[in-house]
Structure formats: C-alpha cells, structure tokens
C-alpha cells in the first residue's frame, strides 16, 4: 500500500518532491534536533490523486491520516476534540516550489464551543482561548467555506471602534466571546449551516480546502508568472499548535538570516509580542524589528539567533524562518530558502564563497539568470532625486525604482497596463487576490504591512519595486485617492517609488543607467571563467552595440541591416528604391543609401573594436517599408512624382498573401541583386576604412533564408564579385567570412551541402521555429496561451527552444555541417539566444556562441556558465 502520509520524524529535506518544501524542511529540522512542534505531512502525490479521484478524499487516505493523527495524539498525551485539554493543530499547504501567499493556512483547528472552555481552563487564559477560537472561525470561514474575509474583518473593526481599542491586543475576553458568536452567525448566514463543531470534520474539510487551493485562479496566475508546472500538486502539513498569543512572554516572528533586499549579512526580520503568525504576515499589526526581541524576550532571542545561524550553515544558504515563542519557549515553524532581490542574491552568493560556505560554481548556479534583468535597469538619478518632492516614507520592501500612474484596484491596474500605461498599484495592503494587478504594475505601494507582508514578499519574488507600510498615507480604494496632509492624489496621477529607501515622491523622476559594480563584476568574472559558449549580441546601432559591450558582449552575432533604413532621412530613399520601375532607377536610389549604410558600419565597427561582427544582408519583405496611412501615401506620391492611384497600385502589387514565406531574405537578392551589391560594398568599404585606421576588422557577411544550396551559390557569387571590386578600387585586401543563417528546415536537413559554401552557420530560431511548427511567429501568441493552459504545449516554443523538434533539426545541421567543414563556426541569433534553457541547449549542441539583445547578454553569460557546470564536456 502506498504511503501518502509521513510523520515529520520519517522525512528529510531530500524528500521535497513528495513532502513539499515546508514538509521536507519541517522533517529536516526535526531530524537535526531543533524544537519543532510534532506533526505529519500528506504528500503531493495525495493531492494529485485527489484530483484524479474526481476531487475526493478516498478511504485509504482518510485512514492513513487517522493513523498518523492518533500516533501524534499518543505522543502528545491528549487528543483532537478532547474537551478538557484539547489538542489543536494547524493545517498549512506546502508546494514543492514555495509560493508565498498563494496557499492558505488554518490555525487553532480543533476548537469548538466545548473545547474552547477546555483551552481556557488549561491555559488559565480566557481571552487567549476565545481569541484563538474567533481566529479559527475567521480563517476557516475564509479558506474552507469561501466567505469573503471582510465580513469578519469589519466585525472586528467595529468591535475595536466600539471599545476604543487601537489594536486587537486592547480587546478583552468578553469582546472575543462576542466576536465568536457574531462570526458563527456569519457562517450560518453565508453557508446556511452552522460552523462545524466536530474537529475530525474540520480537519478533513481543511485538508480538502488545501488540495483545492492548488488550483484556485490566483495560484494558477502565480505559477504561470513564475513558470511553475500546474501538475506538481501541494502537500498538506498538520502540526500541533503552539501559541504566540499567550501573553507578553509569547510572540511570533519571521526572519531572514541575511537582508533579502540588499544581501547584508545581518539577521533581518520582524516580531510581534502576544500574536499569532497571521498578524505578522497579513500586516494587520505593524511588527517590531527583530532586534527589539533582544530586550523583550532575551533568552528566546539568543536561542533563535543560534538556531538561525545553524540553519544557514546546515542548508548553506540564506534562510527565511518562521518561529513562535510559547510562554518563553522557542519553536521553529518553518525554514526555507529565502527569496531575495537580484542584488541580494549576488551579494549573498559572493559573500558565501568568501566565507568558505559554498564554491564559486555553487555561487554561479544559485543565481537565476533571468533575475539579473532587475539589476540592469535604471535607478533614480541622484541629482533629480534631490529636487524631487517627497510625499512620505514607507519601508524599502523590494528594491528598484518605479515611476508611473497610480491605480487603486488590481482590475484597474490590469486595464491601465493593457492600455500601455506604466502603473503603480496603491493599496492599503495587498492580498493574494491582487496578484494579477501586481504582475501588471511596475511598482507597488501599500499603507499597511511590514517587510514580510504579502506585498513585500511577492514583489521581491517578482523583482518589482515595492514600498510597504507607508502608514501616514490615507488611502481610499473606493474614492480612488491617496491623501497625506495637504496633498491629495487621484487615479492616474504620477508618483515615483524608491524601493531602496522606501521614499515615495510626487510626479516623475529622471532615472539613470544601472551601475554594475563590485560583487556583480566578481560573479560575472567567475561565470566567464567557467563558460564554454561565447556570448555575442544582436545590435544594429552604435548605441546598442556599446551597451552590449558594457554588458560583456564579445561580438555582434546579428546586425539586422533593415533597421538602418527606417530612420527619418533614409526611409524616403528606401521607398524610392523599392518603388523604382527600372533597375537604373533602383541603382540610383541605392547609390544614395550606400554612404549612409557604410557610415553605420564604420560606427559599429569602431565601437566593437576587434570583436567579430556578423552583418546580415536585407531580410524582410519589401512592403514592410511602404506607407500604409493615407496621408503618408499622399506625401510619398508627391515626392515620387506619381499619382496616388499609381502608387497604391504598386503597393498592392508588392503585398503578399503570406509575406513571411514570401519574397524576402536571399530571394530579394535573386530578383534584385543590386540591393545586396550595395550592402556588400558598404560593408567592405567600411572595413577598409577601419583597416586604414589601424583596426583589425573581419566582417562576417550573413546571407539569410537559404533553403537550397544553389540559392547560396548564386548570392555568394554576387557577394564575392563586389568584394573583389572593392579590393580593386581600394587596393586593400580585407579578410572576411561568408556564411548563412539556418532558419529553414530544408537548410538544416541539407546542411552538409550548405556548409560547403558557408564558413559559418547562425541558427535563426525565430524562423526555424515558425517553419518547423508551422506557427506564424506574428500570430501564434493568440493561441499559444490556450495551448499552454490546456497542457498541449508546456512552453512557448518562440521563447524556449523546442528541443524535440526544432532542436533535433539544429542537431542534424551541426552534425552534417561539421562533416563537410570541420572548422565551421556555429552560433544562434534567434530570440532564444537570451533564454537560459535555450542557452543550455546550445551548450549541449557544442555551438561556439549565442547572440541576444544587449540587456540579455549578462543573462546569457550566466546561463552559459551554469550549463558548463551542469554539463562539463
Ligand atoms: C531568426 O529568424 O531567428 C532571426 C534571427 O531572424 P529574424 O528574426 O530577423 O527573422
Ligand atoms: Mg529570420
């Protein structure tokens, strides 16, 4: 019989896939002798099985839960539902990959109208017992019975107002007794059933609610945003309750072993006296700095500090720890790898190498390459910041700078984002329902909640700027206003958030480019020493090329020459060239374009120094350069001195039914050789000029969209003719390479022929994916999401190389290509060149380089190093 339920003492951290992150770590802490309240875990397999059984807890599972519960009861010496001295448990979800705030927790399960009296008697504290009971009804009502939370919250607020209580700690036992009665009425009214009194029934309902919450919409959105599979399931942890709300010698807290925002090596966290965990995480009361625990509960603090250090050493990584102090005694409730900003991740990784805790390889493997993106973007300009109008200051919950229009609900944030606006989501506090609004926002501002509030944790995970707990703000989500003293801002007004300082400013603030110093450089140097793949960039302007070099690009892998023709003064000449009726007229226009294109190449070569530069000859269908708006057509007709109807006729002639498979790439050169002739002349003259200036340039001329060897032979011949011509005219010989893109399946399959003529291959995986799947790269977005939701595609093949199909063609091309030419240079320049998984695949194929957009260069460098560590050759 399959085991679906494990006591904590039966597990270990190795069993994470089965026990989930929380369960495995509770088991591990138990195993190494830390003070963990007893409990057991229902496995992720049980959750999957629950769905397979048609959303039902089957008999065997019910029995296994009962068995572990009674073992736990024997150990504890009292039972769930026991009237005199009831055992109470918490029920918490715990997926394999931590999903903060996405799954729900139920505390104090086991309380009912009778056991609450027992708890009051054994604890000698009526207030505590009834506070615990009202919390159970509230959480159970929200999570299991799906009653809107505010129905309970508003009653609590009302009670506090009635009693003139500033905080819940000011309420007394009778107040909680009233609240229990009022909450039970809410349950009766909303569900037409009383609050379940039988603890066994409470337990099974809670377990089922955790299983169900795996598939609630916000969990799905979180998983999609974080690329987590929908098929993993969650585990359920059932654990004996310990209480932080037993008086002033009790409390609860959350702490990181290092600062998750900056990476500083200092215990960092929050603590509340006389409270349960929910109060800290939900931001209901503003917690105190963990340092203050030193004065309030000195012994527990000292013990906690030691345990925190021990856990960090044990796991060899920064930990995020939850704990409770029950009448002076410390209990560990959770430890997990702490989520951190990219800046903190780098600092922690580099520091831990220097502390001798991990190796350089481990440090490199610890960074999620995509997270580097956070570091490469601008921060506020210091000068502009000095003059900015500070509105208020909150907590620096997640670093970065964001500047945008304020919106007060997640729906409005999503809508504004869809309209193309940059959004700052402003909330009193966020909850898991806000997740889509957070995804759509550039920054998040909350009035309530601390550094570990939902907003803070989720924003850090997303790499978004967040300021939390800006308590002076008066936010009305209904009126869509935020006010502070004389300032009143409404929906659509601009504010700027500084996630590094917690400052909130009025209006927009200028930003400055990111400065990448210190530990970033150190980590990237380690990555560079480890990787095999070279990293180039896709760039077609000197500015982008310079940026890419700054980010570590080792050459240009794709210079798309067509982009150079879109500039103001060029597009008119280009259009004239395209609309020419005769070769002569076309050559005239091309002669005007040639010096412009040559100057572009000169500028790019200069920026790139001795680094290789691959220039691709014209690729897109020509109609892309033509005007579509009526006013533009009329202006162009005037410039060309043709009638509007004549021009429209020509535009119509050029239009194609399926332009992506039409007259583009090398096919343009077959029909209009003079276009490529002009481009090759510009490249070679530019290279000659650089050579005369003492530089060492080897242009790599790339011919796109080859599917047939004879196409390549034809175009190569005309390229060579121009190269010879430029050589004769200038009296200089400049070295060069001629190669092709592999972006048509036929080219991949016949790569042995193609390599006879090509000195290099560059995989154009955008087109190769389009043509292998038969998905239009411009339209597929419309259905790929649906494909992913329905499990037909796990990943978007335009973002991550489809190894099974497209990858197989690449493998064939590499093998056949090298058979014909052993020194064939191999690279990739499709969008996949900056995707970590695809970079890994390119490493496995043995390519020489990947090429990606400038901002992805560091990501590719790191991903290449990780691939080399994971798959040494
Ligand atoms: C490709 O097809 O992958 C490629 C890099 O070329 P483009 O995107 O310009 O078609
Ligand atoms: Mg292409």
């Amino acid at each position: 019989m399959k085991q679906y339920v494990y006591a904590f003492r039966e597990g270990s951290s190795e069993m994470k896939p089965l026990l989930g992150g929380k369960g495995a770590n509770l088991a591990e802490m138990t195993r190494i002798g830390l003070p963990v309240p007893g409990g057991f875990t229902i496995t992720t397999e049980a959750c999957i099985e629950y769905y397979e059984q048609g959303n039902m807890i089957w008999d065997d599972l019910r029995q296994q839960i009962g068995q572990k519960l009674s073992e736990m009861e024997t150990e504890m010496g009292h039972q769930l539902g026991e009237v005199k001295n009831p055992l109470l448990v918490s029920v918490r979800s715990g997926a394999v990959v931590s999903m903060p705030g996405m799954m729900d927790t139920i505390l104090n399960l086991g309380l009912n109208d009778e056991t609450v009296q027992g708890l009051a008697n054994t604890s000698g504290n009526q207030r505590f017992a009834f506070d615990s009971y009202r919390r159970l009804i509230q959480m159970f009502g929200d999570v299991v019975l799906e009653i809107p939370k505010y129905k309970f919250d508003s009653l609590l607020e009302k009670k506090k107002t009635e009693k003139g209580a500033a905080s819940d700690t000011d309420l007394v036992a009778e107040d909680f007794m009233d609240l229990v009665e009022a909450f039970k009425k809410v349950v009766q009214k909303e569900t037409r059933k009383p609050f379940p009194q039988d603890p066994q029934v409470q337990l099974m309902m809670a377990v089922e609610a955790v299983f169900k919450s795996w598939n609630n919409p916000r969990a799905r959105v979180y998983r999609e945003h974080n690329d987590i599979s929908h098929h993993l399931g969650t585990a359920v942890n059932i654990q004996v309750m310990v209480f932080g709300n037993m008086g002033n010698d009790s409390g609860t807290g959350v702490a990181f072993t290092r600062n998750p925002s900056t990476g500083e090596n200092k215990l960092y966290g929050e603590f509340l006296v006389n409270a349960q965990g929910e109060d800290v995480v939900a931001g209901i009361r503003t917690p105190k700095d963990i340092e203050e625990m030193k004065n309030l509960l000195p012994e527990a603090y000292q013990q906690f500090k030691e345990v925190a250090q021990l856990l960090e050493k044990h796991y060899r990584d920064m930990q995020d720890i939850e704990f409770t102090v029950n009448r002076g005694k410390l209990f560990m409730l959770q430890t997990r790898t702490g989520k951190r900003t990219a800046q903190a991740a780098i600092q922690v990784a580099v520091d831990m190498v220097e502390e001798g805790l991990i190796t350089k390889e481990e440090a490199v493997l610890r960074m999620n390459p995509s997270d580097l993106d956070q570091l490469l973007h601008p921060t506020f300009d210091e000068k502009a910041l000095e003059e900015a109008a500070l509105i208020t200051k909150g907590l620096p919950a997640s670093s970065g700078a964001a500047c945008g229009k304020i919106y007060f609900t997640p729906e409005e944030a999503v809508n504004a984002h869809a309209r193309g606006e940059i959004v700052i989501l402003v909330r009193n506090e966020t909850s898991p329902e806000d997740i889509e609004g957070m995804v759509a926002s550039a920054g998040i501002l909350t009035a309530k909640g601390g550094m570990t509030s939902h907003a803070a944790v989720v924003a850090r995970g997303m790499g978004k700027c967040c300021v939390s707990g800006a308590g002076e703000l008066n936010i009305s989500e209904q009126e869509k206003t935020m006010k502070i003293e004389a300032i009143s801002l409404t929906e659509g007004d601009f504010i700027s958030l500084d996630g590094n300082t917690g400052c909130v400013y009025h209006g927009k603030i200028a930003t400055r480019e990111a400065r990448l110093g210190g530990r970033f450089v150190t980590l990237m140097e380690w990555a560079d020493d480890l990787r095999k793949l070279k990293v180039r960039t896709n760039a077609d302007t000197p500015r982008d090329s310079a940026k890419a070099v700054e980010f570590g690009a080792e050459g240009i892998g794709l210079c798309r020459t067509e982009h150079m023709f879109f500039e103001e003064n060029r597009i008119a000449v280009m259009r004239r060239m395209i609309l020419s009726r005769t070769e002569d007229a076309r050559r005239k226009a091309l002669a005007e374009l040639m010096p412009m294109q040559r100057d572009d190449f000169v500028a790019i070569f200069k920026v790139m120094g001795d680094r290789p530069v691959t220039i691709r000859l014209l690729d897109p269908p020509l109609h892309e350069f033509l005007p579509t708006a009526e006013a533009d057509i009329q202006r162009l007709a005037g410039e060309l001195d043709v009638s509007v109807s004549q021009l429209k006729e020509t535009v119509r002639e050029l239009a194609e039914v399926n332009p992506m498979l039409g007259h583009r790439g090398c096919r343009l050169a077959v029909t209009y050789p003079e276009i490529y002739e002009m481009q090759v002349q510009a490249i070679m003259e530019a290279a000659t000029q650089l050579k005369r200036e003492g530089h060492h340039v080897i242009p790599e001329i790339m011919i796109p969209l080859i599917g047939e060897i004879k196409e390549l032979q034809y175009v190569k011949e005309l390229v060579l003719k121009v190269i010879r011509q430029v050589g004769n005219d200038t009296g200089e010989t400049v070295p060069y390479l001629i190669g092709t893109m592999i972006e048509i399946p036929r080219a991949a399959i016949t790569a042995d022929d193609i390599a006879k003529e090509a000195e290099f291959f560059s995989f154009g995986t955008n087109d190769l994916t389009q043509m292998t799947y038969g998905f239009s790269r411009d339209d597929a977005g419309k259905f790929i999401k649906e494909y992913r939701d329905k499990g037909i595609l796990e990943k978007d093949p335009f973002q991550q190389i489809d190894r099974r199909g497209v990858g197989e063609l690449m493998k064939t091309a590499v093998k056949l290509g090298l058979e014909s030419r052993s020194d064939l240079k191999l690279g990739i320049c499709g969008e996949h060149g900056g995707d970590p998984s695809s970079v890994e695949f390119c490493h496995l194929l043995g390519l020489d380089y990947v090429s990606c957009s400038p901002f992805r260069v560091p990501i590719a460098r790191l991903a290449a190093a990780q691939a080399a560590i994971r798959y040494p050759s």
Side-chain angles (χ1 to χ4, degrees), residues 111 113 116-117 119-120 125-135 173-174 176-178 180-181:
L111 282 175
D113 293 350
V116 70
Q117 296 293 351
L119 182 65
N125 187 337
Q126 271 217 329
R127 181 194 179 281
F128 153 71
F130 281 88
D131 181 22
S132 302
Y133 191 21
R134 70 91 192 166
R135 285 169 192 267
E174 287 68 26
F176 288 118
M177 286 176 188
D178 291 349
V180 163
E181 288 313 310

Side-chain angles (χ1 to χ4, degrees), residues 78-144:
H78 52 135
Q79 291 178 345
L80 194 69
E82 185 182 308
V83 175
K84 272 205 177 136
N85 183 10
L87 179 73
L88 303 185
V89 295
S90 65
V91 179
R92 308 167 95 192
S93 64
V96 176
V97 185
S98 106
M99 296 170 53
M102 299 311 300
M103 296 289 190
D104 305 292
T105 297
I106 296 164
L107 303 178
N108 311 330
L109 191 140
L111 282 175
N112 58 25
D113 293 350
E114 285 180 335
T115 56
V116 70
Q117 296 293 351
L119 182 65
N121 295 340
T122 49
S123 64
N125 187 337
Q126 271 217 329
R127 181 194 179 281
F128 153 71
F130 281 88
D131 181 22
S132 302
Y133 191 21
R134 70 91 192 166
R135 285 169 192 267
L136 168 65
I137 305 174
Q138 200 169 348
M139 282 184 254
F140 198 91
D142 168 29
V143 178
V144 182

Side-chain angles (χ1 to χ4, degrees), residues 813-834:
V814 168
K815 181 173 164 285
L816 295 178
L818 288 172
E819 272 169 25
S820 288
R821 187 187 290 268
S822 60
D823 63 348
L824 182 70
K825 265 207 207 182
L826 295 161
I828 179 176
C829 63
E831 282 308 299
H832 304 86

Side-chain angles (χ1 to χ4, degrees), residues 558 560 616 619 660 664 704-705 741 743 764-768 770-771 777 829:
L558 174 63
R560 290 182 167 103
R616 182 183 67 187
D619 181 67
M660 268 298 171
R664 60 175 285 226
L705 229 67
M741 295 187 72
E743 51 186 342
T765 42
N766 303 333
D767 275 309
L768 193 58
Q770 165 169 263
M771 294 187 222
R777 56 193 271 194
C829 63

Side-chain angles (χ1 to χ4, degrees), residues 696-710:
H696 182 71
V697 179
I698 308 178
E700 299 176 356
I701 299 172
M702 182 154 77
I703 300 163
L705 229 67
I706 292 293
E708 157 63 52
I709 178 65
K710 288 192 190 132

